[in-house]
Amino acid sequence: MSHDHQAQDQKLVYMANQIATFFNSQSDDHAIGEIANHIIKFWDPRMRAKITAYVGHGGAGLSPRAQSAVERLPQPQPQSAE
């Protein structure tokens, strides 16, 4: 993995962890749902795909809540060639 990809991954990890920190006072179930909703609403589909792939490779550095939220994200649908 190139340094640029690592830097991008770490930026996404930082962002997801910041969102998770915002919901620290909430119960796990509620917080994880809200973190996932935030990522769905405000992150570009490419960012969501990258963080999902990152979690698929272990998700190092993600808080447990952030990782759980990413695992709840809907899987991207392949684009059909028309």
Side-chain angles (χ1 to χ4, degrees):
M1 185 181 300
S2 75
H3 177 69
D4 189 43
H5 287 290
Q6 287 176 334
Q8 290 173 359
D9 289 344
Q10 290 309 306
K11 177 75 172 175
L12 294 176
V13 166
Y14 175 79
M15 291 168 62
N17 286 339
Q18 287 294 103
I19 297 163
T21 298
F22 181 80
F23 293 102
N24 270 348
S25 65
Q26 310 275 325
S27 69
D28 279 345
D29 232 19
H30 181 76
I32 291 166
E34 290 300 317
I35 296 161
N37 285 337
H38 181 93
I39 291 171
I40 290 166
K41 279 184 175 179
F42 298 108
W43 286 27
D44 180 274
R46 293 168 294 187
M47 293 167 66
R48 292 193 305 264
K50 279 184 153 297
I51 197 73
T52 299
Y54 186 79
V55 166
H57 289 98
L62 279 169
S63 72
R65 285 180 166 191
Q67 183 158 346
S68 293
V70 171
E71 290 168 353
R72 287 190 186 183
L73 296 177
Q75 296 302 308
Q77 301 299 313
Q79 300 293 322
S80 62
E82 293 183 41

